[in-house]
Amino acid sequence: MEQLTTSQQEQIRILIVDDDPMMQLWLEQVLSDYPNIEVVGLAENGKLGVAAAIEKKPDLVVMDIAMSELDGIAATQQIKEKLPATRVVVLISHDSQQEVMGALSSGADAYCVKGASVERLISAITAAIDGATYLDPQVGRMVIQNLQPILPSLPEKSANLSSIGLWTKSKIVSVIITLIISGNVPLSPVNLITEK
């Protein structure tokens, strides 16, 4: 298989943290097909994942969210705190809005639906390694659904917000998602925008 194409030309060291042995095996096999990816370790829960990340200092961690001992959200936060240069791709169940919104607060670099295609997983890894943020389309739809309660109250073109000028509804949604991902706003969407 071809190399994973990123701006980083050297070997990419990846740690897999997932409590499902079949998923671990699948991820390891898929990632090992790329000659410039080295899977440096496997961990079956968040606590072991944090310890393995500190010991091995991978370039990237592929992290499941729903795990025992320490969930993927808390594990991601700890890894990002201790190893800020390590990128994290979180794997989210597509059917849990609570999990999606919690994952967005974790500080991860990419968000991919668990069991998504290899192409989406590789897109998430590539974006994270290149310093960009990746939001799986299914995750994006769930975020927008979660924001729906505040959207009807926003006019199509809102009045001047500070000194920024006119914003469209889609621009406001885009900014809210960006702020949620960056951890700069609370996750309760009804608190994000208040009209004066």
Side-chain angles (χ1 to χ4, degrees), residues 16-37:
I16 297 168
V17 184
D18 198 305
D19 61 351
D20 179 349
M22 295 303 290
M23 188 62 154
Q24 271 189 359
L25 180 63
W26 180 80
L27 287 166
E28 185 176 25
Q29 287 177 343
V30 164
L31 296 176
S32 296
D33 281 344
Y34 290 85
N36 61 330
I37 289 181

Side-chain angles (χ1 to χ4, degrees), residues 28 43 52 69 81 85 104 124 141 144 148 166 169:
E28 185 176 25
E69 295 261 348
E81 181 182 315
L104 291 174
R141 278 192 290 279
I144 289 170
Q148 286 302 322
L166 291 177
K169 193 181 284 189

Side-chain angles (χ1 to χ4, degrees), residues 135-188:
L135 188 64
D136 187 286
Q138 284 181 269
V139 176
R141 278 192 290 279
M142 289 191 75
V143 172
I144 289 170
Q145 286 172 357
N146 203 45
L147 294 174
Q148 286 302 322
I150 65 163
L151 295 181
S153 64
L154 297 174
E156 255 337 290
K157 291 207 173 190
S158 70
N160 190 349
L161 299 176
S162 303
S163 59
I164 311 174
L166 291 177
W167 284 30
T168 64
K169 193 181 284 189
S170 63
K171 174 68 174 172
I172 292 169
V173 170
S174 173
V175 168
I176 291 170
I177 291 170
T178 302
L179 291 172
I180 290 170
I181 290 170
S182 67
N184 291 321
V185 294
L187 289 179
S188 173

Side-chain angles (χ1 to χ4, degrees), residues 11-156:
Q11 197 76 357
I12 300 165
R13 302 174 70 252
I14 295 181
L15 171 68
I16 297 168
V17 184
D18 198 305
D19 61 351
D20 179 349
M22 295 303 290
M23 188 62 154
Q24 271 189 359
L25 180 63
W26 180 80
L27 287 166
E28 185 176 25
Q29 287 177 343
V30 164
L31 296 176
S32 296
D33 281 344
Y34 290 85
N36 61 330
I37 289 181
E38 177 189 359
V39 176
V40 296
L42 304 170
E44 64 266 8
N45 62 53
K47 186 176 179 182
L48 294 173
V50 172
I54 291 168
E55 177 191 337
K56 297 178 183 298
K57 297 181 176 44
D59 299 306
L60 184 135
V61 177
V62 177
M63 176 78 69
D64 185 22
I65 290 295
M67 293 183 293
S68 62
E69 295 261 348
L70 186 66
D71 68 28
I73 295 167
T76 295
Q77 291 168 337
Q78 289 183 25
I79 289 170
K80 294 301 277 185
E81 181 182 315
K82 293 173 173 43
L83 302 166
T86 296
R87 306 294 185 187
V88 180
V89 174
V90 294
L91 302 177
I92 303 170
S93 298
H94 68 280
D95 58 352
S96 170
Q97 272 200 352
Q98 183 177 3
E99 190 174 290
V100 168
M101 298 309 285
L104 291 174
S105 71
S106 69
D109 302 283
Y111 306 85
C112 193
V113 171
K114 192 169 186 177
S117 67
V118 173
E119 291 78 19
R120 281 192 188 171
L121 176 63
I122 295 303
S123 293
I125 290 170
T126 302
I129 288 293
D130 284 342
T133 299
Y134 176 87
L135 188 64
D136 187 286
Q138 284 181 269
V139 176
R141 278 192 290 279
M142 289 191 75
V143 172
I144 289 170
Q145 286 172 357
N146 203 45
L147 294 174
Q148 286 302 322
I150 65 163
L151 295 181
S153 64
L154 297 174
E156 255 337 290

